[in-house]
Amino acid sequence: EPEVTQTPSHQVTQMGQEVILRCVPISNHLYFYWYRQILGQKVEFLVSFYNNEISEKSEIFDDQFSVERPDGSNFTLKIRSTKLEDSAMYFCASSEATWGEQYFGPGTRLTVT
Amino acid sequence: GNSVTQMEGPVTLSEEAFLTINCTYTATGYPSLFWYVQYPGEGLQLLLKATKADDKGSNKGFEATYRKETTSFHLEKGSVQVSDSAVYFCALSDRSGTYKYIFGTGTRLKVLA
């Protein structure tokens, strides 16, 4: 069964450093999403992406964040200068259609020290 | 705006007990509704879903019915097992925009042998 994959599973970085989280969505999916979950809290929407541009972003997704689909398979989330409060689990998701079910990856745990 | 409210946890039950986790939502239009499960250290797994009023989603003995009149989607299971111990998230798909998911705060379930 096709699945969304994410790398790395765990990333530790120092405050102020740039990080790139990688996702490989399901191959025939066209809509891509990033969510995050701060430890012990609910899952929050960050951004949606379609046709090589951002469709919608939340208030969390400020200028420090960017997304990119650099090739036909990867979907990345970049945090330019990490802060302690960026420590969270980041989930990538993809769907075949706007209204379709979103399939989530296993997540990348980001720890900012 | 759209939102999901879940009952506070943790919920502690004995094996074979009946489980109910309450979920209510606020939404414009007719969202799709989901239950996701997160086992310790793992990502989000879709447990069940319902896309229109009176639909019943079911999987692995869990059930939930989309009740438009009470704006609810309560999760039930007749006989829980220790292996059901996890965090359960109720979510809706926001059809007013990019169909991003809006999650509840999650309910931790602990089942004792």
Side-chain angles (χ1 to χ4, degrees):
Chain A
E1 186 177 329
E3 58 184 18
V4 176
T5 59
Q6 291 184 243
T7 54
S9 57
H10 189 192
Q11 171 117 27
V12 181
T13 189
Q14 290 189 325
M15 199 165 49
Q17 296 296 302
E18 175 184 286
V19 293
I20 298 176
L21 310 184
R22 290 183 166 78
C23 168
V24 178
I26 294 173
S27 62
N28 63 331
H29 286 188
L30 301 175
Y31 297 82
F32 313 114
Y33 307 82
W34 283 101
Y35 294 81
R36 81 169 185 191
Q37 182 186 30
I38 294 172
L39 188 63
Q41 298 186 25
K42 68 177 176 181
V43 179
E44 301 172 290
F45 167 77
L46 290 178
V47 66
S48 58
F49 189 86
Y50 168 71
N51 200 25
N52 279 323
E53 59 183 31
I54 291 173
S55 311
E56 185 177 355
K57 59 184 181 180
S58 71
E59 292 176 355
I60 303 166
F61 195 89
D62 61 22
D63 291 344
Q64 292 300 310
F65 291 89
S66 62
V67 288
E68 193 179 29
R69 187 149 162 85
D71 53 44
S73 58
N74 289 284
F75 179 51
T76 61
L77 174 69
K78 182 194 288 186
I79 309 175
R80 261 180 271 283
S81 177
T82 50
K83 307 185 190 79
L84 292 176
E85 54 265 36
D86 293 327
S87 295
M89 180 76 91
Y90 288 81
F91 293 106
C92 173
S94 69
S95 65
E96 193 172 359
T98 306
W99 59 88
E101 177 186 330
Q102 291 179 27
Y103 292 79
F104 284 80
T108 293
R109 180 167 299 284
L110 176 65
T111 303
V112 182
T113 62
Chain B
N2 296 344
S3 65
V4 174
T5 302
Q6 276 182 249
M7 64 185 286
E8 292 280 332
V11 173
T12 303
L13 296 173
S14 298
E15 207 164 24
E16 298 183 5
F18 185 86
L19 169 71
T20 300
I21 299 178
N22 290 337
C23 171
T24 57
Y25 67 90
T26 302
T28 52
Y30 303 96
S32 294
L33 300 173
F34 307 87
W35 277 100
Y36 279 83
V37 59
Q38 185 178 37
Y39 296 102
E42 297 187 13
L44 298 167
Q45 297 178 28
L46 178 66
L47 183 58
L48 53 84
K49 66 180 181 182
T51 57
K52 61 183 188 298
D54 300 325
D55 265 2
K56 178 188 281 189
S58 61
N59 186 25
K60 299 181 183 178
F62 290 90
E63 292 183 342
T65 301
Y66 190 143
R67 301 279 187 209
K68 185 169 176 290
E69 64 276 13
T70 54
T71 62
S72 65
F73 193 55
H74 304 321
L75 182 68
E76 296 182 335
K77 187 175 185 183
S79 176
V80 293
Q81 306 300 312
V82 171
S83 56
D84 294 327
S85 298
V87 180
Y88 292 81
F89 291 93
C90 184
L92 66 80
S93 174
D94 181 356
R95 294 187 183 181
S96 63
T98 58
Y99 291 74
K100 64 179 182 287
Y101 283 14
I102 295 170
F103 286 84
T105 52
T107 302
R108 181 175 299 279
L109 170 66
K110 186 172 181 180
V111 181
L112 304 176

